[in-house]
């Protein structure tokens, strides 16, 4: 089955700086890679996703890159704001079930 | 279009009792997934269901846990004879396909 590893487990940045979270996956059949943001006590919310037929996708301050050869994908947040503080989860799926990384707790200091 | 609904939002059970967690997927979604999240931990896949079928239950403990998604009505995650270690947030997610998933608000189970 799929195994997803996520780094770092915690990340602290100054407001306005960029944040990068990296994930690796094991199943070469995985073709869908979403990222979720979970604020304290709330449900995970899908913030961006990428499919295996593209290498990069951007949505305002958030971008995701995918390297299928190396089996890793990354979340990039630019111009971070305090409201970006949350736990971020990456995930990968070949279609039948989704496996999540362990999460990254991002703190943006004002 | 209402989002994924879960109830109850909070559930307290004594050790040995049964817990029933309900999940109503978004309209038009026929795929339901259940996840467990222990305090300060990540999401762990439990089970994937389509209407009347369990597709993948590889993440679900073999004893005391069961799930169903009947033709009519919500998906149910059932935990029999709960123990303290079952205390967690249980999220369900629904999908119109097999990938994009939308999460419900979760049920926080506390076993006393």
């Amino acid at each position: 089955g799929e195994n997803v590893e996520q780094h770092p487990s915690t990340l602290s940045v100054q407001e306005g700086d960029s944040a990068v979270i990296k994930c690796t996956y094991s199943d070469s059949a995985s073709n869908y890679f979403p990222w979720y943001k979970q604020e304290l006590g709330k449900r995970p919310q899908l913030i961006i996703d990428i499919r295996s037929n593209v290498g990069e996708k951007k949505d305002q301050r958030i971008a995701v890159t995918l390297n299928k050869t190396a089996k890793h994908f990354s979340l990039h947040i630019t111009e971070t704001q305090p409201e970006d503080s949350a736990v971020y989860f990456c995930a990968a799926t070949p279609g039948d079930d989704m496996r999540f990384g362990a999460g990254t707790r991002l703190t943006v200091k004002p | 279009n209402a989002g994924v609904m879960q109830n109850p939002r909070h559930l307290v059970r004594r050790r040995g009792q049964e817990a029933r967690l309900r999940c109503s997927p978004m309209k038009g979604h026929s795929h339901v997934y259940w996840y467990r999240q222990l305090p300060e931990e990540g999401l762990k896949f439990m089970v994937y269901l389509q209407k009347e079928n369990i597709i993948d239950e590889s993440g679900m403990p073999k004893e005391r846990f069961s799930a169903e998604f009947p033709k009519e009505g919500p998906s149910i995650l059932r935990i029999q004879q709960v123990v303290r270690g079952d205390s967690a947030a249980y999220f369900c997610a629904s999908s119109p396909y097999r990938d994009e998933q939308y999460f419900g608000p979760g049920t926080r189970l506390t076993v006393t």
Side-chain angles (χ1 to χ4, degrees):
Chain A
E2 178 61 272
N3 181 45
V4 179
E5 295 193 359
Q6 183 171 347
H7 301 279
S9 57
T10 60
L11 179 60
S12 183
V13 299
Q14 211 62 41
E15 184 177 358
D17 288 350
S18 294
V20 181
I21 303 170
K22 298 181 180 180
C23 288
T24 60
Y25 62 99
S26 61
D27 189 346
S28 56
S30 285
N31 54 19
Y32 177 67
F33 307 90
W35 285 87
Y36 290 87
K37 175 183 180 182
Q38 187 177 28
E39 297 175 49
L40 189 64
K42 303 233 177 122
R43 76 185 80 186
Q45 300 259 21
L46 178 68
I47 54 172
I48 195 168
D49 56 15
I50 191 167
R51 297 182 191 277
S52 58
N53 57 346
V54 296
E56 185 173 355
K57 183 175 178 181
K58 192 172 181 181
D59 183 4
Q60 299 183 343
R61 296 186 297 109
I62 296 174
V64 58
T65 58
L66 171 65
N67 182 328
K68 282 217 74 178
T69 305
K71 296 204 195 90
H72 66 70
F73 55 113
S74 301
L75 177 72
H76 305 253
I77 307 174
T78 58
E79 300 170 27
T80 53
Q81 300 166 3
E83 50 265 38
D84 294 329
S85 295
V87 178
Y88 290 80
F89 294 97
C90 64
T93 178
D96 278 349
D97 60 64
M98 192 173 292
R99 305 294 172 171
F100 287 80
T104 296
R105 184 176 299 279
L106 173 65
T107 303
V108 179
K109 299 179 196 172
Chain B
N1 187 6
V4 179
M5 310 288 284
Q6 284 187 254
N7 68 80
R9 295 292 305 277
H10 300 274
L11 182 61
V12 180
R13 284 287 178 267
R14 291 199 181 95
R15 277 180 296 172
Q17 291 185 318
E18 178 180 288
R20 276 183 177 244
L21 288 61
R22 293 175 187 77
C23 170
S24 297
M26 288 176 71
K27 189 176 180 181
H29 289 193
S30 59
H31 303 253
V32 167
Y33 306 78
W34 284 93
Y35 297 88
R36 177 163 63 176
Q37 187 174 36
L38 294 170
E40 301 295 318
E41 290 193 16
L43 293 153
K44 299 295 183 189
F45 167 79
M46 297 183 75
V47 62
Y48 163 40
L49 311 103
Q50 293 182 35
K51 283 285 187 183
E52 300 184 274
N53 287 309
I54 295 175
I55 307 302
D56 182 352
E57 57 182 346
S58 59
M60 201 150 69
K62 298 224 180 321
E63 296 179 358
R64 302 188 299 108
F65 285 73
S66 62
E68 62 177 15
F69 188 16
K71 189 176 180 181
E72 300 292 337
S75 175
I76 307 277
L77 179 67
R78 184 178 172 211
I79 311 172
Q80 294 178 290
Q81 299 173 323
V82 295
V83 301
R84 287 232 170 96
D86 296 332
S87 294
Y90 292 83
F91 289 94
C92 83
S94 75
S95 174
Y97 320 110
R98 286 163 64 188
D99 44 30
E100 291 180 45
Q101 295 183 19
Y102 298 87
F103 282 80
T107 293
R108 277 148 186 84
L109 172 65
T110 303
V111 179
T112 61

